[in-house]
Amino acid sequence: MELKDFDIVIVNSSGGKDSLASLWQIVQMALEQCYPLDQVVVSHQDLGKVEWKGTKELVKRQSDHWGLKTYYSKRRDKDGYEEDLLEYAVRRGKWPSSQQRWCTSDFKRGPGARVVTSLTKDMGECKVLYVFGFRAEESPARSKKEVIKLNKQLTTKKRTVIDYLPIHDWSSKKVWDVIKSNNLEYHKAYDLGMPRLSCCFCIFSPFNALLIAGKENPELLAEYVAVEEQIGHTFKNGESIKSVQEALEAGVEPEVVEDWVM
């Protein structure tokens, strides 16, 4: 990958370990290739109260570590209202699912696309490298993703956008080795036992991960339970998030959490 072929490099960051590792990798490439770091920026899709506390601020500190600018975007409706995920679930009357992953399309891809549009609107003809921290090890679906691919949705007559997955072949161990050997700041949720970071309560989370998140974020868990009861739709297929609250109230302690398929 020759960074000089691109007018701007936009690194998507959730604040999680894989985003951090991919950002580190891009910075190393830029330094080795003498690519200006002021043409590398970080884009964070702010999920508000449903993401782990401190995530937005952490993303900024991670970017500041290399002197990079950070841009934020949030989901908003047609009237410009910044609707959060819980409000959206109430309006739809359903939680997202593996078949209807609107949590990703509407709260990440859509807002992220606005960042691309905003940063390139005055560039004229330009080429964008759009970076993600997806890894093959995460799931069968992600293992099939192309490392370099034209983003047809964001490419226009004047703008070419290339998706790039710089750590696609990395193991989780390599990700952590890079983070810890370089003393990079990561979110405390990992030390609590969470293998992933983004939404506190993810529909793909195993029960023990939901227990960890619920124990650390009881007020937010209560909001999820209230929404679940209001819409009459279980958080996961056949599994109520209220059962997480009940388990914690009964004194159940979470066990070691294995990673989960995205």
Side-chain angles (χ1 to χ4, degrees):
M1 176 60 66
E2 293 289 338
L3 298 184
K4 65 179 176 57
D5 295 337
F6 298 89
D7 299 286
I8 187 171
V9 178
I10 301 176
V11 182
N12 288 283
S13 176
S14 67
K17 69 182 190 305
D18 297 332
S19 295
L20 179 56
S22 66
L23 179 57
W24 178 87
Q25 179 69 352
I26 289 296
V27 169
Q28 301 315 301
M29 292 169 61
L31 294 174
E32 291 169 4
Q33 298 177 22
C34 298
Y35 184 82
L37 283 180
D38 60 7
Q39 289 175 226
V40 178
V41 303
V42 175
S43 174
H44 175 64
Q45 287 68 66
D46 181 8
L47 302 177
K49 66 181 180 182
V50 305
E51 69 184 3
W52 280 84
K53 293 176 184 177
T55 297
K56 180 179 179 180
E57 295 77 12
L58 174 62
V59 170
K60 175 104 174 28
R61 292 196 300 274
Q62 290 171 343
S63 304
D64 288 348
H65 180 73
W66 291 288
L68 308 179
K69 289 184 178 179
T70 309
Y71 295 87
Y72 305 98
S73 59
K74 296 182 80 170
R75 174 190 154 67
R76 60 190 185 204
D77 65 17
K78 56 183 177 61
D79 298 317
Y81 175 67
E82 292 182 341
E83 186 176 40
D84 68 36
L85 188 143
L86 292 178
E87 292 173 315
Y88 194 66
V90 168
R91 184 162 61 80
R92 290 182 66 111
K94 286 187 176 182
W95 298 104
S97 67
S98 56
Q99 290 75 40
Q100 297 288 326
R101 293 181 65 166
W102 48 259
C103 49
T104 299
S105 61
D106 293 15
F107 285 82
K108 293 187 177 181
R109 284 203 301 269
R114 292 206 318 271
V115 172
V116 175
T117 300
S118 175
L119 292 176
T120 60
K121 65 181 180 180
D122 297 323
M123 283 187 175
E125 290 191 11
C126 62
K127 195 170 183 181
V128 179
L129 189 64
Y130 203 37
V131 180
F132 297 89
F134 302 141
R135 295 184 298 111
E137 187 182 73
E138 294 181 280
S139 69
R142 290 190 174 181
S143 70
K144 297 173 184 175
K145 284 184 175 293
E146 297 178 56
V147 173
I148 302 173
K149 182 182 179 181
L150 176 70
N151 188 315
K152 296 180 180 179
Q153 287 71 40
L154 293 179
T155 294
T156 65
K157 290 182 179 179
K158 290 187 176 181
R159 179 182 67 214
T160 300
V161 179
I162 302 295
D163 289 349
Y164 179 46
L165 316 181
I167 64 167
H168 190 250
D169 62 348
W170 286 27
S171 65
S172 180
K173 180 181 182 304
K174 181 172 180 179
V175 168
W176 280 116
D177 285 348
V178 163
I179 290 172
K180 293 187 175 182
S181 64
N182 289 281
N183 295 314
L184 302 179
E185 184 182 2
Y186 61 89
H187 200 285
K188 68 174 185 178
Y190 290 109
D191 291 334
L192 295 173
M194 293 294 290
R196 292 181 181 273
L197 183 79
S198 190
C199 290
C200 287
F201 303 103
C202 175
I203 60 167
F204 297 106
S205 299
F207 189 75
N208 278 299
L210 294 175
L211 283 177
I212 292 171
K215 185 176 181 179
E216 189 72 11
N217 304 278
E219 298 87 1
L220 183 60
L221 175 59
E223 288 191 53
Y224 271 76
V225 170
V227 168
E228 183 178 65
E229 293 176 344
Q230 179 180 352
I231 65 179
H233 181 232
T234 54
F235 181 65
K236 298 177 67 172
N237 185 23
E239 186 176 316
S240 171
I241 199 165
K242 186 173 179 60
S243 64
V244 175
Q245 188 181 58
E246 292 171 340
L248 289 169
E249 290 172 348
V252 175
E253 290 292 331
E255 299 175 359
V256 175
V257 179
E258 299 296 333
D259 206 349
W260 63 82
V261 174
M262 295 296 289

